[in-house]
Amino acid sequence: MKPGKTNILFTLALSIIITTSLCFSHAAFGKQKPLNSANTMKLNTSTVKNSQMKGAFVQQYVPGEVIVKFKNTTNLQIKSQSIAAIGHTMLKNLGSTSIVHIKLKENESVEHAIHAYKNNPNVEYAQPNYIYHIFSTPNDSSYGQLWGLNNTGQTITGGTYPNNNPGTTGCDIDAESAWDKITDCSSVIVAVIDTGVNYNHEDLADNMWDGSASGYNYHGYDFVNSDYDPMDFNGHGTHVAGIIGAVGNNGKGVTGVCWNVKIMAVRVLNAVGEGTTANIVSGINFAVSRGAKVINMSLGGNLSDAVFSNAITNAQNNGVLVVVAAGNKGYNLNTAGKDSYPCEYTQDNIVCVAALDQAYALADFSNYGATGVDVGAPGTNIVSGYFGNYQAITTDDFSSGWGLTGWAQQANLGGFPALTDPTNFNYSNEYLAYANHKAYKSFSLSGYTNAILLFEAYIDIEGGYDFFSVNYKIGTGDPFVTGQQLLRISGSFSNPWYHDYYPFPFDISSYTGTNCSIGFRLQSDGSYQYTGVAIRNFAIVNANTSVTNAYEVMDGTSMASPYVAGLAAMLIAFNPDYTYQDVANALKNGGETVASLAGITTTGKSINAWGSLKYINTPAGLSAQQIQ
Amino acid sequence: MKKIYCILLITGMMFCAHACAHVNQPDTKVTPVKQQQKFAQNVVPCEYLFTVDETCDVQCLYSLLVKDYSITNIKAIGNNLFLVTFTIDPGMDALLSMYNNISTIKAIQPNFKYKLQ
């Protein structure tokens, strides 16, 4: 077999064949893996970019030394001559006469020496003498709970997802192996397009982006309130941001996939997690124009939206990778009528993520789809930062202060004080025909900058003909005269036999700082009357963001997506010349085959940080042939 | 705190509907069709996104629309996109039939609702 480029490329191709493994395989071998891909990469610099070479060589090897593998047919004399001819010294054979540890000339770089051996026909490969050490484990106090980064079969305290807690050792993104190469992604801006971020959080403050370098002295933008303060009044965005880039190794809380990164907070969802096309598109355009290289969007809707899709194309045209959540309805997105966007848009800068549990089973809530969902990532019982906490502005038992027409307070309806229509509500009596019944009361929201209205409702009214509404207005009085509508629905959502109550949250922050009148109304026509409406557990709460050391356990494809976004940032930091296509390829091809994703995602893989870091894009036009 | 969060998450599946600001939705005595319900629950009433020719600005768009509808606000989103808020919701069908032949207006769509996942 003659030496030659084709042969070397064949070696390269072999080295990048994706290996598959069970969750525990890395753990079983102590996660101690040599840099196989990097080895052969060094001899094929034409196939990799300069920055990749730089990334691979940063402080990871012994200066002044290389290891050379001679061909088995090369005798000792030729080896010695080859080494001496370029001024090197043989230190020793490494248990094999064909692999030699070599000392270089004084001041000669390792890169230079490897290139020199590359041109020697007797050499199979040459590589640096890599430095190995204990894998990087951060000292963050809750690190042991972060199964998605390092699954030791731990039980997640306060876990909200019951299946597979504890899970399976090794079912994780293999972060520690990756951290041995890189933890610092601070050269990369990741936009979290979400409910905002508590940028004062103890585990995020140091990793927040600000645009001061370009004269923009803010952490992002709030497209809900159209101001420069993207504070999170929900918790979702802060949780997502923490998964991507909570400060690592600071002795506090958790660590992100990246220990250091630039988190850009783009608030497009309000305090109850709702947003619109207009705000989201504005957020995407903001992120793109301000230099984000990765966008995370843990949000979605079920209707195709051309404007939203165009904004993602704009991101694509600017080289920005967009990582999105698959959605939480348990849908097969390949089924007609079961849709989730942006996951199902087809631009190649989108990576759509399903959620896996602690044993790498598909989470029971996770959407999936053989053509739209790309990869899986940890998405159950995920511990991360939280916005702060909620404090009650008021609770109400409906016993006083309510203007009531056709409604009544019941002191004890199944153990709860309740507001009901009909007044003799008992899950059997019916409300009146031709009703226009109202109940309203004014509450002081002075001194608050955000507020969320919460209540639970039993609703059993005639669909299409009778209506239940919630309105609010500034000040006092009837909010159905001049107020704004929060809700207007019709139909039977509760079962009189099972007494179903549904939670209703509304962001009423726009009416804080003054009095706010809140009202309920039931309207009926003359046809059928059902068992009516009952309201209970009424409260108005404030999202208190002054608490900056809050953490929570959460579930969702929302939590899976930022694992991928964090890894994308890591790949870009490691390979600054990577395009979004390179990153997407590395995310997808460097992943780990997972049985639960086979046939229901485009790759059948969960993301793997180590696998993606060592993944090298196959050179275009590569062909392998045996040379005699 | 956790209970409240659970409530917030569950709302993603709820059926909230906003009417135009300061205007209550009229009672329509029509039995809702499932698909219409799905659509209605996922759009912001009275708000539409207009994609216009790059030569058209806010004033240009306002002049095109105001003769037919009462407009509360026009907001530039960027990339030739404008969010238009009407006092009374004209509906997509009416908007399309009215402006389909005006070359300055490239596209019209509802302002869809999205929720955290």
Side-chain angles (χ1 to χ4, degrees):
Chain A
M1 209 166 156
K2 291 181 182 174
K5 188 174 182 182
T6 305
N7 188 33
I8 292 167
L9 288 175
F10 182 61
T11 306
L12 170 63
L14 286 177
S15 75
I16 61 177
I17 290 173
I18 304 305
T19 56
T20 62
S21 58
L22 299 174
C23 289
F24 51 82
S25 62
H26 295 160
F29 292 95
K31 295 192 174 186
Q32 197 78 352
K33 293 175 284 192
L35 293 167
N36 290 333
S37 299
N39 288 345
T40 48
M41 181 179 76
K42 304 305 177 291
L43 286 175
N44 296 282
T45 53
S46 61
T47 67
V48 294
K49 297 170 181 174
N50 288 336
S51 58
Q52 287 177 281
M53 292 292 287
K54 287 173 188 168
F57 280 117
V58 172
Q59 301 297 320
Q60 303 293 336
Y61 55 87
V62 180
E65 297 180 7
V66 294
I67 292 171
V68 175
K69 168 74 167 65
F70 287 93
K71 293 183 175 171
N72 292 335
T73 53
T74 309
N75 63 36
L76 181 60
Q77 185 181 6
I78 293 174
K79 279 185 224 166
S80 300
Q81 286 172 350
S82 298
I83 294 167
I86 52 178
H88 294 174
T89 308
M90 184 190 303
L91 294 174
K92 58 185 171 184
N93 288 320
L94 298 178
S96 160
T97 53
S98 61
I99 301 178
V100 184
H101 185 189
I102 292 169
K103 184 172 179 54
L104 311 185
K105 289 184 293 192
E106 197 171 358
N107 298 325
E108 184 181 8
S109 73
V110 169
E111 292 93 328
H112 181 268
I114 287 173
H115 280 286
Y117 284 109
K118 174 188 173 185
N119 297 321
N120 187 328
N122 297 308
V123 169
E124 200 165 306
Y125 65 78
Q127 66 162 69
N129 186 17
Y130 288 110
I131 298 170
Y132 288 82
H133 45 80
I134 296 169
F135 281 111
S136 303
T137 303
N139 63 7
D140 303 81
S141 53
S142 294
Y143 179 66
Q145 290 284 287
L146 306 182
W147 72 266
L149 300 174
N150 183 32
N151 193 339
T152 59
Q154 66 271 62
T155 298
I156 306 306
T157 306
T160 47
Y161 186 80
N163 302 346
N164 292 323
N165 182 18
T168 305
T169 300
C171 286
D172 56 47
I173 72 162
D174 214 357
E176 290 191 355
S177 302
W179 289 337
D180 194 44
K181 296 296 293 180
I182 181 169
T183 59
D184 185 357
C185 322
S186 59
S187 60
V188 182
I189 300 169
V190 181
V192 175
I193 297 184
D194 209 290
T195 59
V197 176
N198 186 338
Y199 43 79
N200 295 320
H201 194 283
E202 64 174 9
D203 235 354
L204 287 168
D206 288 345
N207 281 352
M208 293 304 301
W209 172 81
D210 70 65
S212 55
S214 58
Y216 184 86
N217 297 313
Y218 308 98
H219 297 299
Y221 195 81
D222 176 2
F223 288 97
V224 176
N225 292 331
S226 298
D227 62 36
Y228 296 101
D229 184 4
M231 178 53 77
D232 181 12
F233 300 122
N234 176 280
H236 188 265
T238 302
H239 201 272
V240 164
I243 295 167
I244 295 167
V247 178
N249 209 37
N250 64 348
K252 297 174 185 172
V254 296
T255 181
V257 175
C258 287
W259 293 11
N260 306 100
V261 69
K262 292 282 183 285
I263 300 286
M264 175 191 284
V266 184
R267 185 173 186 243
V268 301
L269 304 177
N270 65 14
V272 297
E274 296 175 341
T276 65
T277 306
N279 287 349
I280 293 166
V281 167
S282 299
I284 294 171
N285 292 341
F286 174 89
V288 169
S289 67
R290 293 286 176 179
K293 283 295 167 199
V294 180
I295 287 173
N296 186 87
M297 285 194 287
S298 292
L299 53 81
N302 57 10
L303 295 173
S304 185
D305 179 339
V307 168
F308 193 168
S309 179
N310 289 343
I312 292 175
T313 301
N314 178 44
Q316 180 186 35
N317 293 338
N318 285 276
V320 179
L321 188 80
V322 179
V323 184
V324 304
N328 299 334
K329 293 190 174 178
Y331 287 168
N332 179 353
L333 300 181
N334 281 40
T335 304
K338 307 289 189 189
D339 295 309
S340 180
Y341 299 94
C343 176
E344 290 185 81
Y345 297 132
T346 56
Q347 292 90 334
D348 67 356
N349 62 328
I350 295 176
V351 177
C352 179
V353 188
L356 296 169
D357 72 13
Q358 291 160 256
Y360 269 14
L362 183 72
D364 58 14
F365 54 78
S366 180
N367 290 347
Y368 55 94
T371 57
V373 181
D374 296 304
V375 293
T380 66
N381 295 330
I382 305 299
V383 182
S384 185
Y386 204 53
F387 78 99
N389 60 24
Y390 290 106
Q391 56 187 19
I393 298 174
T394 185
T395 58
D396 200 284
D397 64 2
F398 314 109
S399 62
S400 64
W402 288 82
L404 300 174
T405 308
W407 292 75
Q409 190 252 10
Q410 294 198 32
N412 186 349
L413 181 66
F416 296 88
L419 188 64
T420 68
D421 187 347
T423 56
N424 61 347
F425 178 96
N426 65 356
Y427 303 104
S428 176
N429 295 331
E430 296 174 353
Y431 54 85
L432 299 177
Y434 302 109
N436 183 19
H437 293 166
K438 301 175 188 175
Y440 56 87
K441 180 178 179 178
S442 183
F443 300 89
S444 172
L445 302 182
S446 296
Y448 298 100
T449 57
N450 72 82
I452 300 165
L453 167 65
L454 300 168
F455 60 85
E456 293 178 326
Y458 167 100
I459 302 168
D460 178 30
I461 58 178
E462 187 190 13
Y465 295 91
D466 299 341
F467 294 87
F468 170 64
S469 307
V470 181
N471 271 36
Y472 72 146
K473 63 174 279 193
I474 291 176
T476 60
D478 184 348
F480 295 96
V481 176
T482 57
Q484 187 167 353
Q485 200 167 75
L486 290 167
L487 173 73
R488 186 172 185 276
I489 58 173
S490 183
S492 184
F493 301 98
S494 302
N495 186 325
W497 297 102
Y498 298 110
H499 303 183
D500 312 311
Y501 282 76
Y502 292 98
F504 285 83
F506 298 101
D507 187 343
I508 55 172
S509 301
S510 56
Y511 285 3
T512 52
T514 182
N515 287 337
C516 176
S517 180
I518 293 167
F520 303 106
R521 180 165 68 171
L522 193 157
Q523 296 168 288
S524 65
D525 68 353
S527 53
Y528 298 101
Q529 289 79 50
Y530 294 0
T531 59
V533 178
I535 311 289
R536 70 184 189 189
N537 284 331
F538 181 101
I540 301 174
V541 300
N542 170 253
N544 173 20
T545 58
S546 66
V547 176
T548 57
N549 60 352
Y551 297 86
E552 269 295 345
V553 181
M554 293 173 68
D555 310 305
T557 53
S558 281
M559 283 62 249
S561 178
Y563 276 99
V564 181
L567 177 53
M570 181 184 283
L571 294 171
I572 296 169
F574 193 67
N575 301 299
D577 290 342
Y578 256 20
T579 64
Y580 76 79
Q581 293 103 325
D582 294 328
V583 179
N585 282 339
L587 289 169
K588 294 174 184 175
N589 295 310
E592 184 177 340
T593 297
V594 170
S596 66
L597 297 174
I600 61 167
T601 55
T602 63
T603 64
K605 293 177 179 179
S606 65
I607 60 157
N608 185 285
W610 176 244
S612 291
L613 274 182
K614 67 180 182 179
Y615 177 78
I616 304 165
N617 293 332
T618 306
L622 173 66
S623 61
Q625 67 181 85
Q626 189 169 356
I627 299 172
Q628 301 298 322
Chain B
M1 181 171 66
K2 198 171 290 177
K3 183 176 180 184
I4 291 171
Y5 182 73
C6 289
I7 289 170
L8 299 182
L9 269 185
I10 291 167
T11 190
M13 303 190 301
M14 298 308 294
F15 23 75
C16 310
H18 295 267
C20 310
H22 306 292
V23 173
N24 292 329
Q25 202 166 323
D27 293 347
T28 49
K29 304 287 188 180
V30 178
T31 303
V33 179
K34 222 170 191 180
Q35 191 58 33
Q36 288 173 333
Q37 272 187 323
K38 180 182 173 186
F39 189 81
Q41 289 158 14
N42 288 290
V43 302
V44 183
C46 303
E47 294 187 359
Y48 292 87
L49 290 158
F50 283 70
T51 305
V52 300
D53 189 287
E54 58 190 16
T55 60
C56 189
D57 59 9
V58 171
Q59 284 191 332
C60 152
L61 183 58
Y62 183 78
S63 66
L64 286 171
L65 302 179
V66 74
K67 62 181 182 295
D68 302 309
Y69 296 106
S70 175
I71 292 169
T72 306
N73 190 36
I74 298 180
K75 180 181 178 184
I77 304 293
N79 295 341
N80 308 320
L81 186 66
F82 295 88
L83 175 64
V84 180
T85 307
F86 296 94
T87 306
I88 303 290
D89 197 333
M92 268 303 291
D93 291 345
L95 290 175
L96 288 174
S97 64
M98 194 78 73
Y99 302 116
N100 203 29
N101 295 322
I102 297 179
S103 61
T104 310
I105 297 175
K106 301 296 182 191
I108 309 171
Q109 71 160 63
N111 191 19
F112 290 106
K113 290 182 189 174
Y114 290 89
K115 290 160 185 161
L116 53 79
Q117 297 290 333

